[in-house]
Amino acid sequence: MESVVLYRMREGVDRAQVMAAYPRHKAYYQQFEADGGGLLALGPFPPNPVAGSMGLFTNRAEAERFVASDPFVTEGLAEPHVLDWDPVRFG
């Protein structure tokens, strides 16, 4: 079973704070994926990154491992919500 992480930006967080932390977040997710972490996809909900974002992971353990050290979470910008997901795939 895969897992989804929904990120909601915390109250009072603005675009400038998100963009200032983004280089650390990007370096983190790139290294996580390069090290074989179970990250399948991630991204913000446009047009405003403060609206939140979502990540798709191979399983709950990988999702929880990711959020435990993600700068968006550790710096207090985002609140993650991990959900198990049982997708039906087509094609």
Side-chain angles (χ1 to χ4, degrees), residues 3 5 7-8 15 17 27 34 37-38 57 62 73 76-77 84 90:
S3 287
V5 175
Y7 276 11
R8 183 175 59 191
R15 181 178 173 81
Q17 291 172 286
F57 295 83
E62 288 297 283
V73 176
L77 300 176
D84 292 325
F90 303 95

Side-chain angles (χ1 to χ4, degrees), residues 17-58:
Q17 291 172 286
V18 172
M19 298 316 293
Y22 180 74
R24 293 182 296 284
H25 169 72
K26 182 178 180 181
Y28 174 69
Y29 74 67
Q30 287 176 330
Q31 190 63 55
F32 187 91
E33 195 277 331
D35 289 344
L39 176 60
L40 300 173
L42 57 72
F45 296 113
N48 181 357
V50 175
S53 63
M54 185 180 102
L56 178 59
F57 295 83
T58 55

